[in-house]
Amino acid sequence: MNRYLLFLIICLGSYPIFSQVNVTLHMEQKLGQEPFAYNLATQSEMGYAFTITRMQYYISNVRLIHDGGQLTSIPDLYLLVDPALDSEFELGNFGVTDLEKIEFSVGVDPDHNHLDPTTYPSGHPLAPQNPSMHWGWSSGYRFIALEGFAGVDSNSTNNNYQIHTVGDVNYYTVSLDIQEELVGNEMSIHIEADYAQLLKDINASNGVISHASTGLSKKVAGNARDFVFSANLETGITSPGVEGSINVSPNPTDGVAMVNYDLPGFEKLTLSVIDLSGRTVFRNDLDGSQKTFVLNADWQPGLYLVRIFNGGQLLALEKLVIK
């Protein structure tokens, strides 16, 4: 055998070979419990009402973690997202079989944040936009542009608020555990984005203007990193052939929630709650005939997964948001 061919066979045998798939990111754009829409009166977690009249932000530095920790970066991809218009993004063609995580950063990376927008061709996300997404060569691009009106209730949203985030210090990374959907060579990634969470712990009811890298602008960037995005996991009854239901209310909750379940035919069940890192924060045995369990969810604000098992079999799954 040709020695070069033998060497090539040995080298290829040392590394996994992954099939090429077309990867598409699908975002379920939401405003609270409703599909995202401009001028939709929404109640904030602080109790006041607000609408959104402008919402744009950048995504860059997308990375796929797959097949036992392999990393595939997409360095030249920039997305300018308008939740009212954009929900599906072609990421490219990659050698991925089992996707574990997706990571991306909100904003424009420092290497490109201070370049001249006019050097990009028309239509490129980093080219000049109308309305502008560029703050100037020093500060760079607006990472997030959030504008609207707010008031004490839905009938009095008359106070203008504008919060624009700029600055390399606010270039934050989001990391999500993912359950991909693979059909043939088409791989779909489904995530959820709730833009009401951008105003978490921000009182905009009297109106506010913040175009900066600090203060409320920085708070919005942190909220985007920590609370807006989540994996769009399939919830409800998860095991084929199992009949029943699961519901958690109120959801979101500020501390106590009722887990209502009906799983006929199962007597000994286990309820567990995990955070998005996979850490178990609660575990308790259930009586199959009990139907209702009071969950004292005194954990840090964020997204959790409520799961019910029969032995090692996952029967039901529901998301729980703690505010």
Side-chain angles (χ1 to χ4, degrees):
M1 179 181 293
N2 181 285
R3 284 183 295 177
Y4 175 77
L5 180 59
L6 178 61
F7 174 77
L8 182 62
I9 292 173
I10 293 173
C11 289
L12 289 176
S14 301
Y15 298 93
I17 300 175
F18 305 121
S19 59
Q20 296 288 311
V21 294
N22 299 314
V23 182
T24 303
L25 173 63
H26 301 265
M27 298 179 68
E28 184 179 357
Q29 313 285 28
K30 300 187 69 176
L31 197 52
Q33 299 300 310
E34 301 296 328
F36 182 90
Y38 287 124
N39 301 305
L40 174 66
T42 303
Q43 184 174 0
S44 79
E45 52 91 24
M46 296 184 73
Y48 66 88
F50 69 94
T51 65
I52 294 179
T53 58
R54 181 188 179 189
M55 176 68 218
Q56 292 174 287
Y57 65 96
Y58 281 104
I59 284 178
S60 61
N61 196 25
V62 179
R63 300 176 296 282
L64 306 177
I65 294 86
H66 59 95
D67 300 292
Q70 299 289 319
L71 174 65
T72 295
S73 298
I74 317 175
D76 297 323
L77 179 68
Y78 294 89
L79 305 176
L80 178 54
V81 182
D82 181 330
L85 302 176
D86 306 315
S87 61
E88 186 174 302
F89 308 91
E90 300 291 337
L91 301 186
N93 188 263
F94 309 103
V96 177
T97 298
D98 181 26
L99 187 63
E100 296 151 8
K101 289 178 179 286
I102 183 172
E103 296 180 347
F104 55 86
S105 299
V106 176
V108 178
D109 59 283
D111 288 342
H112 294 83
N113 190 31
H114 307 284
L115 302 182
D116 184 353
T118 63
T119 61
Y120 294 96
S122 177
H124 192 283
L126 299 183
Q129 306 291 325
N130 185 19
S132 176
M133 284 297 289
H134 194 260
W135 189 251
W137 69 268
S138 179
S139 298
Y141 289 87
R142 291 173 171 87
F143 291 178
I144 302 171
L146 174 64
E147 301 178 5
F149 293 89
V152 293
D153 56 44
S154 59
N155 295 318
S156 60
T157 53
N158 301 316
N159 300 317
N160 178 243
Y161 69 87
Q162 296 182 16
I163 305 176
H164 295 182
T165 296
V166 299
D168 295 337
V169 295
N170 295 316
Y171 187 63
Y172 295 142
T173 295
V174 177
S175 180
L176 301 174
D177 294 328
I178 291 296
Q179 292 179 339
E180 82 282 359
E181 177 184 310
L182 183 61
V183 179
N185 68 340
E186 300 293 331
M187 178 176 288
S188 298
I189 303 171
H190 295 272
I191 69 175
E192 181 178 297
D194 176 10
Y195 300 103
Q197 295 297 317
L198 288 172
L199 292 175
K200 181 177 176 61
D201 297 328
I202 294 176
N203 187 353
S205 61
N206 294 320
V208 64
I209 305 295
S210 178
H211 297 179
S213 62
T214 59
L216 294 183
S217 295
K218 188 174 187 66
K219 176 63 175 173
V220 162
N223 285 346
R225 174 192 60 198
D226 297 334
F227 301 112
V228 169
F229 303 99
S230 60
N232 195 344
L233 301 175
E234 182 178 350
T235 60
I237 303 302
T238 64
S239 295
V242 173
E243 295 183 357
S245 62
I246 183 173
N247 174 262
V248 180
S249 64
N251 196 1
T253 181
D254 57 5
V256 177
M258 303 291 291
V259 180
N260 301 298
Y261 61 93
D262 184 13
L263 295 163
F266 297 96
E267 296 182 359
K268 295 183 178 180
L269 302 170
T270 301
L271 181 146
S272 76
V273 182
I274 62 173
D275 61 21
L276 288 186
S277 71
R279 179 176 64 95
T280 299
V281 298
F282 181 83
R283 183 182 179 89
N284 196 82
D285 292 333
L286 299 178
D287 184 341
S289 63
Q290 186 176 354
K291 307 301 183 185
T292 299
F293 183 82
V294 180
L295 189 63
N296 292 312
D298 53 347
W299 311 306
Q300 292 295 317
L303 178 66
Y304 295 80
L305 299 178
V306 178
R307 307 180 300 171
I308 296 180
F309 290 86
N310 175 50
Q313 180 186 14
L314 178 61
L315 301 180
L317 172 71
E318 188 58 82
K319 291 181 285 187
L320 171 64
V321 176
I322 297 179
K323 59 185 179 179

